[in-house]
Each structure stands twice: as C-alpha cells, then as structure tokens.
Coordinates of all heavy atoms in Angstrom, one line a residue:
L1 N -12.6 -13.5 26.8 CA -12.4 -13.5 25.3 C -13.1 -12.2 24.8 O -14.2 -12.0 25.2 CB -13.0 -14.7 24.7 CG -12.4 -16.1 24.9 CD1 -13.2 -17.2 24.3 CD2 -11.0 -16.1 24.2
V2 N -12.5 -11.6 23.8 CA -13.1 -10.5 23.1 C -13.2 -10.8 21.7 O -12.3 -11.3 21.0 CB -12.2 -9.3 23.3 CG1 -12.8 -8.1 22.5 CG2 -12.1 -8.9 24.7
F3 N -14.4 -10.8 21.2 CA -14.7 -11.0 19.8 C -14.9 -9.8 19.0 O -15.6 -8.9 19.5 CB -15.9 -11.9 19.6 CG -15.7 -13.3 20.1 CD1 -16.2 -13.6 21.4 CD2 -15.1 -14.3 19.3 CE1 -16.0 -14.9 21.9 CE2 -14.9 -15.6 19.8 CZ -15.4 -15.9 21.1
Q4 N -14.2 -9.6 17.9 CA -14.4 -8.5 17.1 C -15.5 -8.8 16.1 O -15.7 -9.9 15.7 CB -13.2 -8.1 16.3 CG -12.0 -7.6 17.1 CD -10.9 -7.1 16.3 OE1 -10.4 -7.9 15.5 NE2 -10.4 -5.9 16.5
S5 N -16.2 -7.7 15.8 CA -17.3 -7.9 14.8 C -16.6 -8.1 13.4 O -15.8 -7.3 13.0 CB -18.2 -6.7 14.7 OG -19.1 -6.7 13.7
L6 N -16.9 -9.2 12.7 CA -16.3 -9.4 11.4 C -17.2 -8.8 10.4 O -18.4 -9.0 10.3 CB -16.3 -10.9 11.2 CG -15.4 -11.7 12.1 CD1 -15.4 -13.2 11.8 CD2 -13.9 -11.2 12.0
E7 N -16.5 -8.1 9.5 CA -17.2 -7.4 8.3 C -16.9 -8.2 7.1 O -15.8 -8.7 6.9 CB -16.8 -6.0 8.2 CG -17.4 -5.4 7.0 CD -16.9 -3.9 6.8 OE1 -16.1 -3.4 7.5 OE2 -17.3 -3.3 5.7
F8 N -17.9 -8.5 6.3 CA -17.6 -9.2 5.0 C -18.6 -8.6 4.0 O -19.5 -7.8 4.3 CB -17.9 -10.7 5.1 CG -19.3 -11.1 5.7 CD1 -20.3 -11.3 4.8 CD2 -19.5 -11.2 7.0 CE1 -21.6 -11.7 5.2 CE2 -20.7 -11.5 7.5 CZ -21.8 -11.8 6.6
Q9 N -18.3 -8.9 2.8 CA -19.0 -8.2 1.7 C -19.6 -9.3 0.8 O -19.2 -10.4 0.7 CB -18.1 -7.3 0.9 CG -17.6 -6.2 1.7 CD -16.8 -5.2 0.9 OE1 -16.5 -5.4 -0.3 NE2 -16.4 -4.1 1.4
G10 N -20.7 -8.9 0.1 CA -21.3 -9.8 -0.9 C -21.9 -8.9 -2.0 O -22.1 -7.7 -1.8
V11 N -22.2 -9.6 -3.1 CA -23.0 -8.9 -4.1 C -24.4 -9.2 -4.1 O -24.8 -10.4 -4.0 CB -22.3 -9.2 -5.6 CG1 -23.1 -8.6 -6.6 CG2 -20.9 -8.9 -5.6
M12 N -25.2 -8.2 -4.1 CA -26.7 -8.4 -4.1 C -27.3 -7.8 -5.3 O -26.8 -6.8 -5.8 CB -27.3 -7.7 -2.8 CG -26.8 -8.3 -1.5 SD -27.5 -7.5 -0.1 CE -29.3 -8.0 -0.2
R13 N -28.3 -8.4 -5.9 CA -29.1 -7.8 -7.0 C -30.3 -7.1 -6.5 O -31.0 -7.6 -5.7 CB -29.6 -8.9 -7.9 CG -30.3 -8.4 -9.2 CD -30.7 -9.5 -10.1 NE -29.5 -10.1 -10.7 CZ -28.8 -9.7 -11.7 NH1 -29.1 -8.6 -12.3 NH2 -27.8 -10.4 -12.1
F14 N -30.4 -5.9 -6.9 CA -31.6 -5.0 -6.5 C -32.3 -4.6 -7.8 O -31.8 -4.5 -8.9 CB -31.0 -3.7 -6.0 CG -30.3 -3.9 -4.6 CD1 -29.0 -4.1 -4.5 CD2 -31.1 -3.9 -3.4 CE1 -28.3 -4.4 -3.4 CE2 -30.5 -4.2 -2.2 CZ -29.1 -4.4 -2.2
Y15 N -33.6 -4.5 -7.6 CA -34.6 -4.1 -8.7 C -35.3 -2.8 -8.3 O -35.6 -2.5 -7.2 CB -35.7 -5.2 -8.8 CG -35.1 -6.5 -9.2 CD1 -34.7 -7.4 -8.3 CD2 -35.0 -6.9 -10.6 CE1 -34.1 -8.7 -8.6 CE2 -34.5 -8.2 -11.0 CZ -34.1 -9.0 -9.9 OH -33.6 -10.3 -10.3
F16 N -35.4 -1.9 -9.3 CA -36.0 -0.6 -9.0 C -37.1 -0.4 -10.2 O -36.7 -0.6 -11.4 CB -34.9 0.5 -9.1 CG -35.5 1.8 -9.1 CD1 -35.9 2.4 -7.9 CD2 -35.7 2.6 -10.2 CE1 -36.5 3.7 -7.7 CE2 -36.2 3.9 -10.1 CZ -36.6 4.4 -8.9
Q17 N -38.2 0.0 -9.8 CA -39.3 0.4 -10.8 C -39.9 1.7 -10.3 O -40.6 1.7 -9.2 CB -40.3 -0.8 -10.9 CG -41.3 -0.3 -12.0 CD -42.3 -1.5 -12.3 OE1 -42.4 -2.3 -11.5 NE2 -42.9 -1.4 -13.4
D18 N -39.7 2.7 -11.1 CA -40.4 4.0 -10.8 C -41.8 3.9 -11.4 O -42.0 3.0 -12.2 CB -39.6 5.1 -11.3 CG -39.8 6.4 -10.6 OD1 -40.7 6.5 -9.7 OD2 -39.1 7.4 -10.8
I19 N -42.7 4.7 -11.0 CA -44.1 4.7 -11.5 C -44.0 4.8 -13.1 O -43.4 5.7 -13.6 CB -44.9 5.8 -10.9 CG1 -45.0 5.6 -9.4 CG2 -46.3 5.8 -11.5 CD1 -45.6 6.7 -8.6
G20 N -44.7 3.8 -13.8 CA -44.8 3.9 -15.2 C -43.5 3.5 -16.0 O -43.4 3.8 -17.1
Q21 N -42.5 3.1 -15.3 CA -41.3 2.7 -16.0 C -41.0 1.3 -15.9 O -41.5 0.5 -15.1 CB -40.1 3.4 -15.3 CG -40.1 4.9 -15.5 CD -38.8 5.6 -14.9 OE1 -38.0 5.0 -14.4 NE2 -38.7 6.9 -15.2
K22 N -40.1 0.8 -16.8 CA -39.6 -0.6 -16.8 C -38.8 -0.9 -15.5 O -38.2 0.1 -14.9 CB -38.8 -0.9 -18.0 CG -39.6 -0.9 -19.3 CD -38.7 -1.2 -20.5 CE -39.4 -1.2 -21.7 NZ -38.6 -1.5 -22.9
V23 N -38.7 -2.1 -15.2 CA -37.8 -2.5 -14.1 C -36.4 -2.4 -14.5 O -36.1 -2.9 -15.5 CB -38.3 -4.0 -13.6 CG1 -37.3 -4.4 -12.5 CG2 -39.7 -4.0 -13.1
A24 N -35.6 -1.7 -13.6 CA -34.2 -1.7 -13.8 C -33.5 -2.6 -12.8 O -34.1 -2.7 -11.6 CB -33.6 -0.3 -13.7
T25 N -32.5 -3.3 -13.0 CA -31.7 -4.1 -12.1 C -30.3 -3.7 -12.1 O -29.6 -3.3 -13.0 CB -32.0 -5.6 -12.4 OG1 -31.3 -6.3 -11.4 CG2 -31.4 -5.9 -13.8
K26 N -29.7 -3.8 -10.9 CA -28.2 -3.6 -10.7 C -27.7 -4.5 -9.6 O -28.4 -4.9 -8.7 CB -28.0 -2.1 -10.2 CG -28.5 -1.1 -11.0 CD -27.4 -0.3 -11.7 CE -28.1 0.9 -12.5 NZ -27.5 1.1 -13.7
C27 N -26.5 -5.0 -9.9 CA -25.8 -5.7 -8.8 C -24.9 -4.8 -8.1 O -24.1 -4.0 -8.7 CB -25.0 -6.9 -9.4 SG -26.0 -8.2 -10.1
V28 N -24.9 -4.9 -6.8 CA -24.2 -3.9 -6.0 C -23.4 -4.7 -4.9 O -24.0 -5.5 -4.2 CB -25.1 -2.8 -5.4 CG1 -24.4 -1.9 -4.4 CG2 -25.8 -2.1 -6.4
R29 N -22.1 -4.3 -4.6 CA -21.5 -4.9 -3.5 C -21.9 -4.2 -2.2 O -21.9 -3.0 -2.1 CB -19.9 -4.7 -3.7 CG -19.1 -5.4 -2.6 CD -17.6 -5.3 -2.9 NE -17.2 -5.9 -4.1 CZ -17.1 -7.3 -4.3 NH1 -17.2 -8.0 -3.2 NH2 -16.7 -7.7 -5.4
V30 N -22.3 -5.1 -1.2 CA -22.9 -4.6 0.0 C -22.0 -5.2 1.2 O -21.6 -6.4 1.1 CB -24.3 -5.0 0.2 CG1 -24.9 -4.7 1.4 CG2 -25.1 -4.4 -1.0
S31 N -21.8 -4.4 2.2 CA -21.1 -4.9 3.4 C -22.1 -5.4 4.4 O -23.2 -5.0 4.5 CB -20.3 -3.7 4.0 OG -19.9 -4.1 5.3
S32 N -21.6 -6.3 5.2 CA -22.5 -7.0 6.3 C -22.8 -5.9 7.3 O -23.7 -6.2 8.1 CB -21.8 -8.1 6.9 OG -20.6 -7.8 7.5
I33 N -22.1 -4.9 7.4 CA -22.4 -3.9 8.5 C -23.2 -2.7 8.0 O -23.6 -1.8 8.7 CB -21.1 -3.4 9.2 CG1 -20.2 -2.6 8.2 CG2 -20.4 -4.5 9.8 CD1 -19.1 -1.9 8.9
Q34 N -23.5 -2.6 6.7 CA -24.3 -1.5 6.1 C -25.8 -1.7 6.4 O -26.3 -2.7 6.2 CB -24.1 -1.4 4.6 CG -22.7 -0.9 4.2 CD -22.6 -0.8 2.7 OE1 -22.7 -1.8 2.0 NE2 -22.2 0.3 2.2
S35 N -26.4 -0.6 6.9 CA -27.8 -0.6 7.2 C -28.6 -0.4 5.9 O -28.1 0.0 4.8 CB -28.1 0.5 8.2 OG -27.9 1.8 7.6
T36 N -29.9 -0.7 6.0 CA -30.8 -0.5 4.9 C -30.7 1.0 4.4 O -30.7 1.3 3.3 CB -32.3 -0.7 5.4 OG1 -32.4 -2.1 5.8 CG2 -33.3 -0.4 4.3
K37 N -30.7 1.9 5.3 CA -30.5 3.4 5.0 C -29.3 3.6 4.1 O -29.3 4.3 3.2 CB -30.5 4.3 6.3 CG -30.1 5.7 6.1 CD -31.3 6.5 5.6 CE -31.0 7.9 5.6 NZ -30.3 8.4 4.3
E38 N -28.2 3.0 4.6 CA -26.9 3.2 3.8 C -27.0 2.6 2.5 O -26.5 3.2 1.5 CB -25.8 2.6 4.6 CG -25.5 3.4 5.9 CD -24.5 2.7 6.8 OE1 -24.6 1.4 7.0 OE2 -23.5 3.3 7.3
V39 N -27.6 1.4 2.4 CA -27.7 0.7 1.1 C -28.7 1.6 0.1 O -28.4 1.7 -1.0 CB -28.3 -0.7 1.3 CG1 -28.6 -1.3 -0.1 CG2 -27.2 -1.5 2.0
I40 N -29.7 2.1 0.7 CA -30.6 2.9 -0.1 C -29.9 4.1 -0.7 O -30.1 4.5 -1.8 CB -31.9 3.4 0.7 CG1 -32.8 2.2 1.0 CG2 -32.6 4.5 0.0 CD1 -33.9 2.5 1.9
D41 N -29.1 4.8 0.1 CA -28.2 5.9 -0.4 C -27.4 5.5 -1.5 O -27.2 6.2 -2.5 CB -27.4 6.5 0.7 CG -28.2 7.2 1.8 OD1 -29.4 7.6 1.5 OD2 -27.7 7.4 2.9
I42 N -26.8 4.3 -1.5 CA -26.0 3.8 -2.6 C -26.8 3.5 -3.8 O -26.4 3.9 -4.9 CB -25.2 2.5 -2.2 CG1 -24.2 2.8 -1.1 CG2 -24.5 1.8 -3.3 CD1 -23.6 1.6 -0.3
L43 N -28.0 2.9 -3.6 CA -28.8 2.6 -4.7 C -29.4 3.9 -5.4 O -29.6 3.9 -6.6 CB -30.0 1.7 -4.2 CG -29.6 0.3 -3.8 CD1 -30.8 -0.4 -3.2 CD2 -29.0 -0.5 -4.9
I44 N -29.7 4.9 -4.6 CA -30.1 6.2 -5.2 C -29.0 6.6 -6.2 O -29.3 7.0 -7.3 CB -30.4 7.2 -4.2 CG1 -31.7 6.9 -3.5 CG2 -30.5 8.6 -4.8 CD1 -32.0 7.7 -2.2
E45 N -27.8 6.5 -5.8 CA -26.6 7.0 -6.7 C -26.6 6.1 -7.9 O -26.3 6.6 -9.0 CB -25.4 6.9 -5.9 CG -24.1 7.2 -6.7 CD -24.0 8.7 -7.1 OE1 -24.6 9.6 -6.4 OE2 -23.5 9.0 -8.2
K46 N -26.8 4.8 -7.8 CA -26.7 3.9 -8.9 C -27.9 4.0 -9.8 O -27.7 4.0 -11.0 CB -26.6 2.4 -8.4 CG -25.4 2.1 -7.6 CD -24.2 2.0 -8.4 CE -23.0 1.6 -7.6 NZ -21.8 1.6 -8.4
F47 N -29.1 4.0 -9.3 CA -30.3 4.0 -10.2 C -30.8 5.5 -10.6 O -31.2 5.6 -11.7 CB -31.5 3.4 -9.4 CG -31.4 1.9 -9.4 CD1 -31.1 1.2 -8.2 CD2 -31.6 1.1 -10.5 CE1 -31.1 -0.2 -8.1 CE2 -31.6 -0.3 -10.5 CZ -31.3 -0.9 -9.3
R48 N -30.6 6.4 -9.7 CA -31.2 7.7 -9.9 C -30.2 8.8 -9.5 O -30.5 9.6 -8.6 CB -32.5 7.9 -9.2 CG -33.6 6.9 -9.5 CD -34.1 7.1 -10.9 NE -34.6 8.5 -11.2 CZ -35.8 8.9 -11.1 NH1 -36.7 8.1 -10.6 NH2 -36.1 10.1 -11.3
P49 N -29.0 8.9 -10.1 CA -28.0 9.9 -9.7 C -28.6 11.3 -9.8 O -28.1 12.2 -9.0 CB -26.9 9.7 -10.6 CG -27.4 8.9 -11.8 CD -28.5 8.2 -11.3
D50 N -29.5 11.6 -10.7 CA -30.2 12.9 -10.8 C -31.0 13.2 -9.6 O -31.3 14.5 -9.3 CB -31.1 13.0 -12.0 CG -32.1 12.0 -12.1 OD1 -31.8 10.8 -11.7 OD2 -33.3 12.2 -12.4
M51 N -31.3 12.3 -8.7 CA -32.1 12.6 -7.6 C -31.3 12.9 -6.3 O -31.8 13.4 -5.3 CB -32.9 11.2 -7.2 CG -33.9 10.9 -8.2 SD -35.2 12.1 -8.5 CE -36.1 11.9 -7.0
R52 N -29.9 12.9 -6.4 CA -29.1 13.2 -5.3 C -29.3 14.6 -4.7 O -29.3 14.8 -3.5 CB -27.6 13.0 -5.6 CG -27.1 11.6 -5.5 CD -25.7 11.6 -5.7 NE -25.3 12.2 -7.0 CZ -24.3 12.9 -7.3 NH1 -23.4 13.1 -6.5 NH2 -24.1 13.4 -8.5
M53 N -29.4 15.5 -5.6 CA -29.5 16.9 -5.2 C -30.9 17.3 -4.9 O -31.0 18.4 -4.3 CB -29.0 17.8 -6.5 CG -27.5 17.5 -6.9 SD -26.4 17.5 -5.5 CE -25.3 18.8 -6.1
L54 N -31.9 16.5 -5.1 CA -33.2 16.9 -4.9 C -33.6 16.3 -3.5 O -32.9 15.5 -2.9 CB -34.1 16.4 -5.9 CG -33.8 16.8 -7.4 CD1 -34.7 16.1 -8.4 CD2 -33.9 18.3 -7.6
T55 N -34.8 16.7 -3.0 CA -35.3 16.1 -1.8 C -35.5 14.6 -2.1 O -36.1 14.2 -3.1 CB -36.7 16.7 -1.5 OG1 -36.5 18.1 -1.4 CG2 -37.2 16.2 -0.2
V56 N -35.0 13.8 -1.2 CA -35.1 12.4 -1.4 C -36.5 11.8 -1.1 O -37.0 12.1 0.0 CB -34.0 11.6 -0.5 CG1 -34.1 10.2 -0.7 CG2 -32.6 12.1 -0.8
P57 N -37.1 11.2 -2.0 CA -38.4 10.6 -1.8 C -38.3 9.5 -0.8 O -37.2 9.1 -0.4 CB -38.8 10.1 -3.2 CG -37.9 10.6 -4.2 CD -36.6 11.0 -3.4
D58 N -39.4 9.0 -0.4 CA -39.4 7.9 0.6 C -39.1 6.6 0.0 O -40.0 5.8 -0.4 CB -40.8 7.9 1.4 CG -40.8 6.8 2.5 OD1 -39.6 6.6 3.1 OD2 -41.8 6.4 2.8
Y59 N -37.8 6.3 -0.3 CA -37.4 5.0 -0.8 C -37.3 3.9 0.3 O -37.1 4.3 1.5 CB -36.1 5.0 -1.5 CG -36.1 5.8 -2.8 CD1 -35.4 7.0 -2.9 CD2 -36.8 5.2 -3.9 CE1 -35.5 7.7 -4.1 CE2 -36.8 5.9 -5.1 CZ -36.1 7.1 -5.2 OH -36.1 7.8 -6.4
A60 N -37.6 2.7 0.0 CA -37.5 1.6 0.9 C -37.0 0.4 0.3 O -37.1 0.2 -1.0 CB -38.9 1.3 1.6
L61 N -36.5 -0.6 1.0 CA -36.1 -1.9 0.5 C -37.1 -2.9 1.0 O -37.5 -3.0 2.1 CB -34.7 -2.3 1.1 CG -33.5 -1.6 0.5 CD1 -32.2 -2.2 1.1 CD2 -33.5 -1.7 -1.0
Y62 N -37.5 -3.8 0.1 CA -38.4 -4.9 0.4 C -37.7 -6.2 0.0 O -37.0 -6.3 -1.0 CB -39.7 -4.8 -0.4 CG -40.6 -3.6 0.0 CD1 -40.4 -2.4 -0.4 CD2 -41.6 -3.9 0.9 CE1 -41.2 -1.3 0.1 CE2 -42.4 -2.9 1.3 CZ -42.2 -1.6 0.9 OH -43.1 -0.6 1.4
E63 N -37.9 -7.2 0.8 CA -37.5 -8.6 0.4 C -38.9 -9.1 -0.2 O -39.9 -9.1 0.4 CB -36.9 -9.4 1.5 CG -37.8 -9.6 2.7 CD -37.1 -10.5 3.7 OE1 -36.4 -11.4 3.4 OE2 -37.4 -10.3 4.9
I64 N -38.7 -9.7 -1.4 CA -39.9 -10.2 -2.1 C -39.5 -11.7 -2.5 O -38.5 -11.9 -3.1 CB -40.3 -9.4 -3.4 CG1 -40.6 -8.0 -2.9 CG2 -41.4 -10.0 -4.1 CD1 -40.9 -7.0 -4.1
H65 N -40.4 -12.6 -2.1 CA -40.2 -14.0 -2.4 C -40.9 -14.6 -3.5 O -42.0 -14.0 -3.8 CB -40.3 -14.8 -1.0 CG -39.5 -14.2 0.1 ND1 -38.2 -14.5 0.3 CD2 -39.8 -13.3 1.1 CE1 -37.7 -13.9 1.2 NE2 -38.7 -13.1 1.8
E66 N -40.5 -15.7 -3.9 CA -41.2 -16.3 -5.2 C -42.7 -16.6 -4.9 O -43.6 -16.5 -5.7 CB -40.6 -17.7 -5.4 CG -39.3 -17.5 -6.2 CD -38.8 -18.9 -6.6 OE1 -39.5 -19.9 -6.5 OE2 -37.6 -19.0 -7.0
N67 N -43.1 -16.9 -3.6 CA -44.5 -17.2 -3.3 C -45.3 -15.9 -3.1 O -46.5 -16.0 -2.8 CB -44.6 -18.0 -2.0 CG -44.1 -17.3 -0.7 OD1 -43.7 -16.1 -0.9 ND2 -44.0 -18.0 0.3
G68 N -44.8 -14.7 -3.4 CA -45.5 -13.5 -3.3 C -45.3 -12.7 -2.0 O -45.8 -11.6 -1.9
D69 N -44.8 -13.4 -1.0 CA -44.6 -12.7 0.3 C -43.6 -11.6 0.1 O -42.7 -11.7 -0.6 CB -44.0 -13.7 1.3 CG -44.9 -14.7 1.9 OD1 -46.2 -14.6 1.5 OD2 -44.5 -15.7 2.5
D70 N -43.9 -10.5 0.9 CA -42.9 -9.4 0.9 C -42.9 -8.8 2.3 O -43.8 -9.0 3.1 CB -43.2 -8.4 -0.2 CG -44.5 -7.6 0.1 OD1 -45.0 -7.5 1.2 OD2 -45.0 -7.1 -0.9
R71 N -41.8 -8.1 2.6 CA -41.6 -7.4 3.9 C -40.7 -6.2 3.7 O -39.6 -6.3 3.0 CB -41.0 -8.5 4.8 CG -40.8 -7.8 6.3 CD -40.2 -8.9 7.2 NE -38.7 -9.1 6.9 CZ -37.7 -8.3 7.4 NH1 -38.0 -7.2 8.2 NH2 -36.5 -8.5 7.0
R72 N -41.0 -5.1 4.2 CA -40.2 -3.9 4.2 C -39.1 -4.0 5.2 O -39.4 -4.3 6.4 CB -41.1 -2.7 4.4 CG -40.3 -1.4 4.3 CD -41.2 -0.2 4.5 NE -40.4 1.0 4.5 CZ -40.9 2.2 4.1 NH1 -42.2 2.3 3.8 NH2 -40.2 3.3 4.2
L73 N -37.9 -3.9 4.8 CA -36.8 -3.8 5.7 C -36.8 -2.6 6.6 O -37.0 -1.5 6.1 CB -35.4 -4.0 5.1 CG -35.0 -5.4 4.7 CD1 -35.9 -6.1 3.7 CD2 -33.6 -5.5 4.2
G74 N -36.5 -2.7 7.9 CA -36.3 -1.6 8.7 C -35.1 -0.8 8.4 O -34.1 -1.4 7.9
P75 N -35.0 0.5 8.9 CA -33.9 1.3 8.5 C -32.6 0.9 9.0 O -31.5 1.1 8.5 CB -34.3 2.7 8.9 CG -35.4 2.5 9.9 CD -36.0 1.2 9.6
D76 N -32.6 0.1 10.1 CA -31.4 -0.3 10.8 C -31.0 -1.8 10.5 O -30.0 -2.3 11.0 CB -31.4 -0.1 12.3 CG -31.5 1.4 12.7 OD1 -30.9 2.2 11.9 OD2 -32.2 1.8 13.5
E77 N -31.9 -2.5 9.7 CA -31.5 -3.9 9.4 C -30.4 -3.9 8.5 O -30.1 -2.9 7.8 CB -32.7 -4.5 8.7 CG -33.8 -4.9 9.7 CD -34.9 -5.8 9.1 OE1 -34.6 -7.0 8.9 OE2 -35.9 -5.2 8.7
K78 N -29.7 -5.1 8.4 CA -28.6 -5.2 7.5 C -29.0 -6.1 6.3 O -29.2 -7.3 6.5 CB -27.4 -5.9 8.2 CG -27.0 -5.3 9.6 CD -26.5 -3.9 9.4 CE -25.9 -3.3 10.7 NZ -26.6 -2.2 11.2
P79 N -29.2 -5.6 5.1 CA -29.8 -6.3 4.0 C -29.0 -7.5 3.6 O -29.6 -8.6 3.3 CB -29.8 -5.3 2.8 CG -29.9 -4.0 3.5 CD -29.1 -4.1 4.8
L80 N -27.7 -7.5 3.7 CA -26.8 -8.6 3.3 C -27.1 -9.8 4.3 O -27.3 -10.9 4.0 CB -25.4 -8.3 3.3 CG -24.5 -9.5 2.8 CD1 -24.8 -10.0 1.5 CD2 -23.0 -9.0 2.9
L81 N -27.2 -9.5 5.6 CA -27.5 -10.5 6.6 C -29.0 -11.1 6.5 O -29.2 -12.2 6.7 CB -27.3 -9.9 8.0 CG -25.9 -9.4 8.3 CD1 -25.8 -8.9 9.7 CD2 -24.9 -10.5 8.2
V82 N -29.9 -10.2 6.1 CA -31.2 -10.6 5.9 C -31.2 -11.6 4.7 O -31.8 -12.7 4.9 CB -32.2 -9.4 5.5 CG1 -33.6 -9.9 5.0 CG2 -32.4 -8.5 6.7
Q83 N -30.5 -11.4 3.7 CA -30.5 -12.3 2.5 C -29.9 -13.6 2.9 O -30.3 -14.7 2.5 CB -29.8 -11.6 1.4 CG -29.8 -12.6 0.1 CD -29.3 -11.9 -1.1 OE1 -29.4 -10.7 -1.3 NE2 -28.6 -12.7 -1.9
L84 N -28.8 -13.5 3.7 CA -28.1 -14.7 4.1 C -28.9 -15.6 5.0 O -28.7 -16.8 5.0 CB -26.8 -14.4 4.7 CG -25.7 -13.8 3.8 CD1 -24.5 -13.3 4.6 CD2 -25.3 -14.8 2.7
N85 N -29.9 -15.1 5.7 CA -30.8 -15.8 6.5 C -31.9 -16.5 5.7 O -32.7 -17.2 6.3 CB -31.3 -15.0 7.7 CG -30.2 -14.8 8.7 OD1 -29.6 -15.8 9.1 ND2 -30.1 -13.7 9.2
W86 N -32.1 -16.2 4.5 CA -33.2 -16.8 3.7 C -33.1 -18.3 3.7 O -34.1 -18.9 3.6 CB -33.2 -16.3 2.3 CG -33.6 -14.9 2.1 CD1 -34.2 -14.0 3.1 CD2 -33.6 -14.0 0.9 NE1 -34.4 -12.8 2.6 CE2 -34.1 -12.7 1.3 CE3 -33.2 -14.3 -0.4 CZ2 -34.2 -11.7 0.3 CZ3 -33.3 -13.3 -1.2 CH2 -33.8 -12.0 -0.9
H87 N -32.0 -18.8 3.7 CA -31.8 -20.3 3.7 C -32.6 -21.0 4.8 O -33.1 -22.1 4.6 CB -30.4 -20.8 3.8 CG -29.7 -20.5 5.0 ND1 -29.8 -21.6 6.0 CD2 -29.0 -19.5 5.5 CE1 -29.1 -21.0 7.1 NE2 -28.7 -19.9 6.8
R88 N -32.8 -20.3 5.9 CA -33.5 -20.9 7.0 C -35.0 -21.2 6.7 O -35.5 -22.2 7.2 CB -33.5 -20.0 8.3 CG -32.2 -20.1 9.0 CD -32.4 -19.5 10.4 NE -31.7 -18.3 10.5 CZ -31.8 -17.4 11.5 NH1 -32.8 -17.5 12.3 NH2 -31.1 -16.3 11.5
D89 N -35.5 -20.4 5.9 CA -36.9 -20.5 5.5 C -37.1 -21.2 4.1 O -38.1 -21.2 3.5 CB -37.7 -19.2 5.5 CG -37.8 -18.6 6.8 OD1 -37.8 -19.4 7.8 OD2 -37.8 -17.4 7.0
D90 N -35.9 -21.6 3.5 CA -35.8 -22.2 2.2 C -36.4 -21.2 1.2 O -37.2 -21.6 0.4 CB -36.6 -23.5 2.2 CG -36.2 -24.4 1.0 OD1 -35.1 -24.2 0.5 OD2 -37.1 -25.1 0.5
R91 N -35.9 -20.0 1.3 CA -36.4 -19.0 0.3 C -35.3 -18.6 -0.7 O -34.1 -18.9 -0.4 CB -36.8 -17.7 1.1 CG -38.0 -17.9 2.0 CD -38.4 -16.6 2.6 NE -39.7 -16.8 3.2 CZ -40.3 -15.8 3.8 NH1 -39.7 -14.6 3.9 NH2 -41.5 -16.1 4.4
E92 N -35.7 -18.1 -1.8 CA -34.8 -17.6 -2.8 C -35.0 -16.1 -2.9 O -36.0 -15.6 -2.7 CB -35.0 -18.2 -4.1 CG -34.8 -19.7 -4.1 CD -34.9 -20.3 -5.5 OE1 -34.8 -19.6 -6.5 OE2 -35.0 -21.5 -5.6

C-alpha cells in the first residue's frame, strides 16, 4: 500500500506585538504542510509588509496557553498540526 500525504487547510489566529505597540491580531489560512518558517514569512507580509524589503529580524512563533505555559516552535514544525494536537493536553 502506498499512502499519499494528505494536505488540508485551517484558519489560525495569530497575535503580534512589536516593542511598545498594541497587540495586533490576524486570522490566516494555513496549510498542514507549511513549516513555521513558511508561516512566519506569510505573517511578516500580513503584519509588517514594510519589513519585506529590509533585513528580516528574528521572528518566531510561540504557542501560549491559558495557564501561562509557552513554547517556541521549531523552524520545521507544522503550526497547524501543533494546534490540532492541543486537544491531547486539553489546551486551548
């Protein structure tokens, strides 16, 4: 048997806060095969299009939970899959 990798999409809400600024939020359609690095590139375009032409600062994605726990996602992780696995730990 040969199984093909199934790709699916979902909408995720992202929050961005630059130093000294209010929190901005955007909902973005993300694919199950997109890596953290690819999602960050999309988010730069959505939140800070003026930054595209400049040297890209060190942006990162974090999962932050209600209880205050947080974790930085690795560059090759798949953010949509990470979020879909939150149910295992009963997280939001």
Side-chain angles (χ1 to χ4, degrees):
L1 289 174
V2 176
F3 292 97
Q4 288 185 310
S5 174
L6 295 177
E7 177 184 358
F8 55 93
Q9 296 185 355
V11 175
M12 297 179 71
R13 180 177 300 276
F14 294 92
Y15 298 86
F16 174 79
Q17 183 175 19
D18 209 351
I19 297 171
Q21 292 186 352
K22 292 182 179 179
V23 174
T25 181
K26 303 249 187 226
C27 288
V28 177
R29 183 173 300 280
V30 176
S31 166
S32 61
I33 63 170
Q34 286 178 304
S35 69
T36 298
K37 168 79 173 89
E38 292 170 316
V39 172
I40 288 173
D41 290 343
I42 292 167
L43 293 173
I44 290 171
E45 178 67 32
K46 297 286 184 184
F47 283 109
R48 301 292 305 267
D50 56 319
M51 298 298 288
R52 272 185 310 146
M53 303 303 243
L54 304 174
T55 303
V56 178
D58 185 27
Y59 288 114
L61 287 183
Y62 288 83
E63 57 177 330
I64 300 174
H65 304 279
E66 282 185 13
N67 65 3
D69 288 348
D70 66 23
R71 183 182 72 85
R72 183 177 176 154
L73 274 65
D76 296 323
E77 285 189 80
K78 311 293 189 239
L80 183 58
L81 298 179
V82 169
Q83 181 175 327
L84 289 174
N85 283 315
W86 287 353
H87 71 89
R88 281 201 246 164
D89 297 329
D90 197 27
R91 293 184 169 181
E92 293 186 17

